[in-house]
Amino acid sequence: MASNVQVDPLLNALNGKGRYQILQFSLCKASTISVAVVIFSFVFVGRNIPHVCSKPSNTSEVITAIDDDTFTINNSNIYYDKCNIRVVANVSGHTETKQLPCVFGYIFSERKDLSIISDYYIQMELVCEKAPLRALGMSLFFLGQVIGASTLPIVSDRHGRRPVHLISHFCVLVLGICASFSPNYTVFLVVRFFTGIVHSGLVLTDATISVELFPAQHRKLFGFITNQFRIWGLVVLAGLAYSLRDQSWRWLQLGLTSVSLSVIPAAVLLDETLRWLIVHGRVDDIRKTLEKAARMNKVDKRHVMEEFGNIQDHHKSLLPRRLSLGMEPNSLTSQGKEDSENTVKVTHSLADLLKVKRLAINTIAMWFIWLSSSMILLGIYLTSESLAAGRYINFFVIAIIPCPSGVIFYFMVDRYGRKTTLWALYIITTGGLAVATAVRIFSVSDGNAAIASTIFSCFGAMGITEITSTLFFYTPEMFPTTMRSVGLGSSAAIGRVGGIVIPFIILMADDITWAPGVILTAMAVITLVLIQVLPETKGRELPQTLEDLKGWYRKTS
């Protein structure tokens, strides 16, 4: 395949951010909201409802369950805690304590059907010793994402961004509906697992399409807008969850799934990206897309076709010269037919990047950055209910607070580069995590610790949300078109491994409140070091092939 295919001049000839590009971008951003809602829907569908151990019909049953003759009704006080029944007895002038699990069940402070973890019809209360089963609701989702991120990008690179995007989005809608009718928790987990697989395809194609739509000088603006959609997706989630707070978790699941109905207009209006069509030599489809875009953007079609002709002239083996103004697709010259027959479709695997030492170092560093970023982001949002305010206010504040950091991203990413922007945002995140964790460790007042931890967790949220945006903006620029989805997908897959682990790390807080914070802060510090090995991609044409990328790295080294 020819290398160094310059697509940006063609995009500029189409008026780089004209109405056509805006329409395609808007269709993708509707799915960005769906992406945000689906990831964190379990925060509300599987929320913790405050509970204590249930009392037996006769208090003597507790004494009988202890099976200790020194404990009697007369010398014992019984306390019904969150996960234990505590019996404190005065035995011969000494205080002795024994504990029982909640053998008589649980009393919840709200209706049990408000959360899947306590729903009577699910027939399993996922609290206390069964709490790890609740964590599976998130972990299996991210396990599905690992599989999806490892496989669907290959399909996307070979068969196109559009089909993978639309099929994934439609499956997210259908599986979301199925989840709301789950007869038991096992079925719900299976549905969550498959949702994770297709959700990963939606996430990655959304990011890839958004990057490939625009020439280099406009990608910063639309990267900023993409992040705002992610933020407002979480705000939409908080709003929907609050408005349906009195409904059962099944109605809540249906309500949250409704945001995926945006797949319907996308199925009608979304086109394949020009970059993918050009790299794969799809001349007929290129002609149709160029004519449609030129018409919508009200630009001179002749100039657009001339610009594409220049690409054909430089890459005849990739794009036979068959697309001139006024020429029908079937009017091929014999030479054009020969070139078309000789066109070689080349796709690469991730192993091709790992064969080159410098590229392998950058790729592995990016994998760890995605891993730590995913764990920090999920850790902050999944623990939001433990902060100072209520569940819905906490989540809303954590979601909306990153808006100011979007300004940092917008003004820094082109002026100082992607690498410096990523590093600065990680400084903010690391600082917020470190102080919030220190407060948890050293504070003597739980109330003050919760307030201070909330404040500094907001700083962490502000940084990590923009880090995610920067990574989705930065990572695709490091891979050629022939493997851009694979490169982004492998990074996202590693990040999703963090999503599998983090729910169980959070469970450590039940015994050591500051343990998750220490782990996440340590990972953030390591990431600050690894960022230094990455190259700068500011202002560069997106590489089209692996050879472009190798030469590009030689220039930056």
Side-chain angles (χ1 to χ4, degrees):
M1 179 180 288
S3 64
N4 198 27
V5 182
Q6 300 290 326
V7 181
D8 278 7
L10 180 61
L11 297 177
N12 285 322
L14 284 169
N15 182 12
K17 54 178 181 178
R19 288 194 297 177
Y20 174 80
Q21 288 91 338
I22 298 300
L23 172 62
Q24 299 297 304
F25 182 76
S26 299
L27 293 170
C28 279
K29 293 314 103 183
S31 70
T32 302
I33 293 177
S34 179
V35 162
V37 170
V38 172
I39 288 179
F40 293 104
S41 62
F42 193 73
V43 172
F44 298 102
V45 172
R47 63 192 171 115
N48 276 316
I49 296 180
H51 59 86
V52 295
C53 294
S54 180
K55 297 180 181 180
S57 56
N58 191 326
T59 306
S60 62
E61 294 181 42
V62 176
I63 304 300
T64 303
I66 291 176
D67 194 23
D68 188 330
D69 293 339
T70 61
F71 285 73
T72 66
I73 290 289
N74 295 328
N75 72 352
S76 300
N77 292 317
I78 302 175
Y79 303 92
Y80 298 91
D81 298 328
K82 180 179 178 181
C83 291
N84 295 287
I85 299 174
R86 238 175 347 111
V87 182
V88 181
N90 188 337
V91 181
S92 301
H94 299 284
T95 300
E96 293 190 17
T97 303
K98 288 203 172 183
Q99 292 185 341
L100 291 172
C102 295
V103 292
F104 307 105
Y106 302 91
I107 296 177
F108 291 87
S109 62
E110 300 176 68
R111 287 192 354 248
K112 295 177 68 173
D113 68 339
L114 293 179
S115 172
I116 192 171
I117 69 168
S118 56
D119 189 356
Y120 173 79
Y121 294 101
I122 295 297
Q123 298 179 340
M124 184 179 293
E125 295 166 331
L126 307 179
V127 295
C128 299
E129 68 274 7
K130 293 180 180 178
L133 293 176
R134 178 180 180 269
L136 284 177
M138 290 297 291
S139 293
L140 286 178
F141 175 82
F142 284 105
L143 178 60
Q145 285 213 323
V146 171
I147 295 173
S150 302
T151 56
L152 293 179
I154 299 173
V155 180
S156 172
D157 279 341
R158 292 180 179 175
H159 300 287
R161 302 359 179 165
R162 181 181 184 273
V164 174
H165 183 85
L166 293 178
I167 293 172
S168 296
H169 201 176
F170 178 76
C171 289
V172 165
L173 174 63
V174 172
L175 289 170
I177 295 172
C178 291
S180 66
F181 292 100
S182 299
N184 54 58
Y185 192 61
T186 301
V187 172
F188 181 83
L189 291 179
V190 171
V191 173
R192 285 283 291 177
F193 170 73
F194 284 105
T195 302
I197 294 176
V198 293
H199 182 270
S200 191
L202 181 59
V203 171
L204 299 173
T205 52
D206 175 26
T208 303
I209 291 171
S210 298
V211 168
E212 294 185 349
L213 273 174
F214 302 100
Q217 69 270 24
H218 298 312
R219 289 202 298 268
K220 176 188 74 170
L221 172 62
F222 290 97
F224 170 76
I225 295 173
T226 292
N227 181 59
Q228 297 306 304
F229 270 93
R230 290 194 189 103
I231 292 172
W232 286 102
L234 296 176
V235 172
V236 167
L237 170 58
L240 282 173
Y242 180 78
S243 64
L244 295 171
R245 66 191 182 280
D246 294 327
Q247 303 298 319
S248 75
W249 70 268
R250 297 181 186 276
W251 282 108
L252 174 60
Q253 174 67 29
L254 277 175
L256 299 181
T257 300
S258 67
V259 299
S260 292
L261 290 171
S262 59
V263 68
I264 297 174
V268 177
L269 300 172
L270 186 66
D271 295 329
E272 187 56 77
T273 68
L274 276 171
R275 289 185 187 275
W276 186 90
L277 292 174
I278 289 172
V279 167
H280 288 77
R282 302 281 288 271
V283 180
D284 290 345
D285 293 327
I286 295 169
R287 179 184 66 84
K288 294 176 183 177
T289 300
L290 289 177
E291 289 180 349
K292 177 180 178 180
R295 183 172 61 253
M296 287 189 65
N297 290 351
K298 298 182 179 179
V299 298
D300 184 2
K301 185 168 70 173
R302 182 179 297 275
H303 174 58
V304 172
M305 298 304 184
E306 287 175 353
E307 197 61 58
F308 182 75
N310 293 335
I311 296 178
Q312 290 178 292
D313 289 338
H314 285 87
H315 306 284
K316 293 180 180 178
S317 63
L318 177 66
L319 293 163
R321 179 89 171 156
R322 57 183 287 193
L323 184 60
S324 59
L325 187 64
M327 181 183 294
E328 294 300 320
N330 57 4
S331 61
L332 280 170
T333 64
S334 59
Q335 179 64 41
K337 290 180 181 179
E338 180 180 348
D339 287 341
S340 181
E341 291 171 358
N342 292 332
T343 298
V344 180
K345 304 296 189 298
V346 178
T347 55
H348 295 285
S349 68
L350 194 64
D352 292 315
L353 274 184
L354 298 179
K355 292 175 183 177
V356 181
K357 180 179 179 180
R358 174 61 183 170
L359 302 185
I361 292 173
N362 293 335
T363 302
I364 292 171
M366 186 59 77
W367 285 350
F368 185 87
I369 293 170
W370 274 83
L371 176 67
S372 67
S373 300
S374 176
M375 291 179 68
I376 294 169
L377 177 69
L378 292 168
I380 289 175
Y381 280 99
L382 293 181
T383 58
S384 61
E385 65 180 21
S386 67
L387 300 177
R391 175 183 294 109
Y392 302 100
I393 294 176
N394 284 340
F395 194 91
F396 173 79
V397 171
I398 291 292
I400 201 70
I401 201 70
C403 281
S405 62
V407 178
I408 298 175
F409 169 82
Y410 185 78
F411 287 104
M412 285 189 65
V413 73
D414 271 348
R415 183 171 182 178
Y416 298 105
R418 285 68 161 136
K419 178 177 175 178
T420 302
T421 301
L422 185 62
W423 189 83
L425 290 169
Y426 246 105
I427 286 289
I428 296 173
T429 300
T430 306
L433 284 174
V435 176
T437 303
V439 167
R440 289 285 187 184
I441 295 174
F442 299 109
S443 178
V444 296
S445 169
D446 289 341
N448 292 335
I451 295 172
S453 182
T454 300
I455 294 172
F456 287 101
S457 292
C458 287
F459 281 99
M462 183 171 64
I464 197 63
T465 303
E466 284 304 325
I467 285 169
T468 303
S469 301
T470 305
L471 287 175
F472 271 108
F473 186 73
Y474 188 16
T475 306
E477 295 183 337
M478 299 177 65
F479 297 94
T481 299
T482 50
M483 59 184 308
R484 185 164 296 125
S485 287
V486 175
L488 178 61
S490 66
S491 300
I494 297 296
R496 296 320 183 237
V497 172
I500 297 172
V501 175
I502 191 64
F504 296 98
I505 292 179
I506 290 173
L507 289 178
M508 296 170 62
D510 291 340
D511 299 314
I512 308 173
T513 57
W514 45 264
V518 169
I519 294 172
L520 296 179
T521 302
M523 295 192 71
V525 171
I526 295 172
T527 301
L528 282 171
V529 176
L530 290 178
I531 289 173
Q532 302 308 312
V533 308
L534 297 177
E536 182 53 70
T537 62
K538 180 181 70 171
R540 292 184 175 274
E541 168 82 16
L542 289 178
Q544 297 294 98
T545 67
L546 186 58
E547 289 303 315
D548 290 350
L549 191 60
K550 291 177 180 177
W552 185 80
Y553 278 123
R554 284 194 293 269
K555 293 177 183 178
T556 59
S557 60

